[in-house]
Amino acid sequence: MDIPKNGYEQAAISLAPIETDITLDEFCQSDLEGYEYFNGALIPIAPTTMEHGEISMNIGVFLGLHVRENQLGRLYMAGTDFKLCDRLVKPDAAFVSTARLPGNRREVFSVAPDLAVEVVAPLDAFQRMIEKAFAYLEAGTQIVWVVEPRSKTVTVYRSETNIKVLTREDTLTGEDVVEGFSCQVAQLFE
């Protein structure tokens, strides 16, 4: 019997997608926690760390204050469900402009966020994160930020060919999606 060498190996095994016969609508009605859904598979959400929470909170504070002060829309934090075609995702942060807010916000969002933010957890598969960024874009999200704690970088996705990597020396902006927003990348990691 092969026994994983450490807890990280066991956790990585348990993060493999689980094939299921439930539909996206059935998943949305279920009480399953700790998963996203994609094309008939349950995708386990990687466990987070204190660092992940701190970075997410920094994003929420900087971005949330700007959105609120300028009445641009709403910012949603981790745990908020968004339907993207055949996928249900829970971004670490998401911005939806006032013009695109649905009337009934007591249900799962059936609109893609204007901005989606994903903070990479230690056990996240980076390839899966890239696929998720492209899924957001395909569903109508205008900009995706993938925040990488180890390298202290933010990869900004606008399309499959418009991708920028920002380092601690750079300024992260909301471009034309969250107008007027900017902060130093380094501030996200403080």
Side-chain angles (χ1 to χ4, degrees):
M1 174 179 188
D2 285 333
I3 298 173
K5 294 180 177 137
N6 61 46
Y8 283 106
E9 287 181 21
Q10 182 61 42
I13 291 167
S14 68
L15 289 177
I18 301 165
E19 295 300 321
T20 180
D21 59 356
I22 68 172
T23 66
L24 176 57
D25 288 334
E26 290 170 336
F27 177 74
C28 290
Q29 301 299 321
S30 77
D31 60 355
L32 288 170
E33 293 288 329
Y35 296 95
E36 294 182 332
Y37 179 95
F38 174 57
N39 202 22
L42 300 178
I43 312 297
I45 296 173
T48 60
T49 62
M50 290 175 65
E51 177 185 53
H52 185 281
E54 291 165 2
I55 293 167
S56 296
M57 183 59 74
N58 286 343
I59 292 165
V61 168
F62 295 130
L63 192 57
L65 284 173
H66 179 79
V67 167
R68 187 176 182 103
E69 286 175 2
N70 294 283
Q71 300 178 356
L72 300 175
R74 297 285 184 177
L75 184 69
Y76 298 91
M77 298 308 291
T80 305
D81 296 336
F82 286 86
K83 276 187 188 178
L84 308 177
C85 304
D86 58 353
R87 189 182 282 249
L88 184 112
V89 296
K90 300 173 185 287
D92 290 302
F95 164 74
V96 179
S97 64
T98 301
R100 296 188 61 245
L101 284 170
N104 182 358
R105 296 195 299 261
R106 293 180 184 254
E107 297 177 355
V108 172
F109 272 99
S110 58
V111 298
D114 295 286
L115 163 70
V117 182
E118 293 287 348
V119 179
V120 180
L123 295 177
D124 273 330
F126 199 72
Q127 181 61 35
R128 193 182 299 169
M129 197 61 69
I130 294 169
E131 290 170 7
K132 194 172 177 182
F134 289 141
Y136 280 115
L137 295 172
E138 189 175 302
T141 298
Q142 298 173 58
I143 190 167
V144 180
W145 298 341
V146 176
V147 181
E148 175 38 77
R150 283 191 181 168
S151 61
K152 294 187 175 19
T153 60
V154 178
T155 304
V156 179
Y157 293 84
R158 290 300 301 250
S159 71
E160 288 185 13
T161 58
N162 186 353
I163 302 168
K164 292 186 290 192
V165 177
L166 305 177
T167 68
R168 291 174 280 200
E169 305 294 317
D170 295 315
T171 299
L172 177 64
T173 69
E175 300 182 29
D176 59 339
V177 178
V178 186
E179 291 190 35
F181 174 77
S182 70
C183 76
Q184 288 300 120
V185 170
Q187 288 180 287
L188 301 179
F189 303 101
E190 293 177 346

